[in-house]
DNA sequence: AATAAATTATTAGGCAACCTAAATATATAT
DNA sequence: ATATATATTTAGGTTGCCTAATAATTTATT
């Protein structure tokens, strides 16, 4: 990394630092942050005229392998945050929906996420917040493209 | 997360996306990225008139608990990337330094990191790259401060 | 219709990157 | 001399993922 473009070095340093950041801090003592992410994505995908979300849809939404979702849903189900039901049209599929407890949990989590990120948005200022979000998305695009090109 | 400030939502979304990003992709098949980070920090801390870096210094530099460093150094040592020596002034301490193999490895890793981040800097443009690095650092500051205030 | 191929989810087992608590050895302070 | 502090290691655990193999069912092909 020697005597090269200092911007590059600065970028790398900030990435390292940022990466350590635990911004996903679970506000619910009883839920891991991966579980909260699952609840969020169920909430987001859910619509009133379906009996629940398919495992594979959660897996796609979170870009996580399906056995991972199985495990997370197992734990969420045994703790009463979600319910599994059989899909009547496709008996291979499983439909998952939030219980009232689940709804309550994401209500709280949502509150606390909002508070944290609202604080950040205030701290950075609206313009910078927008900029940051855009730059992060661009960075994501860059690395995804790069990955495809290399392999 | 309903009908609230859209900037906040956008920030959160971009964080989620960015967080998944595997920008630390280890270029050396035989080294995990945590191990590369250790090698980097040894290289950075090293100075010609010491016989090596103390475990605790690596641990502080990377902000990782010392048993974690012990494990990483164990593996790096058995694979010949670093060498442990006793500290003659303080016999509790251990000094770690890079072997030639270790130097070679971080040379290559450094090359490949630089290439990736240089590409990013070009992709974003110099001004935006600087901005991104600054905003990430500010974000780090914000969350660190928040953590302290809450607990 | 029968068989093959694809899809959905689960089970089993593993890995990376961390952590804490307790143990060991040595150094420093009282 | 004893207590306390520091440096490292050992032992064992957690989180968040993964792949390969299996079971059940659906869809496509002959």
């Amino acid at each position: 990394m020697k005597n090269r473009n200092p911007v590059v070095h600065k970028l790398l340093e900030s990435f390292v630092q940022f990466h350590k950041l635990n911004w996903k801090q679970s506000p619910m003592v009883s839920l891991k942050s991966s579980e909260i992410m699952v609840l969020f994505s169920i909430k987001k995908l859910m619509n009133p005229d379906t009996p629940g979300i398919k495992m594979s849809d959660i897996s796609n939404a979170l870009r996580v392998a399906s056995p991972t979702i199985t495990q997370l849903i197992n734990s969420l189900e045994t703790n009463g945050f979600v319910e599994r039901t059989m899909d009547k049209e496709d008996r291979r599929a499983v439909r998952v929906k939030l219980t009232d407890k689940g709804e309550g949990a994401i209500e709280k989590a949502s509150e606390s996420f909002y508070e944290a990120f609202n604080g950040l948005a205030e701290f950075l200022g609206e313009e910078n917040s927008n900029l940051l979000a855009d730059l992060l998305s661009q960075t994501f695009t860059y690395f995804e493209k790069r990955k495809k090109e290399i392999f």
Side-chain angles (χ1 to χ4, degrees), chain A:
Chain A
M1 222 77 21
K2 301 146 195 167
N3 46 353
R4 298 190 259 199
N5 189 348
V7 184
V8 175
H9 196 257
K10 192 173 155 187
L11 260 184
L12 179 49
E13 296 263 286
S14 69
F15 272 45
V16 170
Q17 198 186 39
F18 185 74
H19 188 73
K20 296 244 130 187
L21 208 50
N22 185 27
W23 56 272
K24 257 195 214 168
Q25 312 149 51
S26 171
M28 318 287 306
V29 193
S30 55
L31 287 173
K32 299 170 210 157
S33 57
S34 58
E35 293 174 337
I36 290 187
M37 291 298 137
V38 169
L39 295 183
F40 270 122
S41 74
I42 295 172
K43 178 83 173 187
K44 190 171 184 180
L45 297 171
M46 195 66 185
N47 90 47
D49 44 286
T50 54
I53 307 306
K54 287 199 293 177
M55 299 298 276
S56 49
D57 291 337
I58 303 171
S59 158
N60 288 335
L62 293 178
R63 288 162 182 281
V64 149
S66 57
T68 306
I69 303 300
T70 296
Q71 286 170 199
L72 291 170
I73 293 293
N74 283 348
S75 145
L76 286 168
E77 193 183 25
T78 58
N79 292 114
F81 294 99
V82 300
E83 260 173 33
R84 259 191 259 236
T85 48
M86 302 271 161
D87 186 317
K88 278 146 199 164
E89 272 122 59
D90 183 342
R91 307 205 335 205
R92 295 167 303 180
V94 167
R95 297 281 173 176
V96 183
K97 68 168 199 278
L98 297 172
T99 60
D100 288 350
K101 186 176 174 188
E103 293 278 2
I106 97 163
E107 191 64 37
K108 264 193 211 159
S110 176
E111 215 52 64
S112 124
F113 262 100
Y114 186 81
E115 200 210 303
F117 277 78
N118 195 50
L120 177 62
E122 272 171 25
F123 182 76
L124 297 177
E126 173 137 353
E127 200 187 320
N128 278 336
S129 298
N130 264 308
L131 217 55
L132 175 56
D134 288 338
L135 290 172
L136 288 180
S137 292
Q138 280 178 250
T139 300
F140 181 79
T141 306
Y142 167 76
F143 277 107
E144 286 292 294
K145 215 179 74 190
R146 204 183 130 82
K147 207 199 302 180
K148 269 171 208 145
E149 277 162 11
I150 290 175
F151 304 109

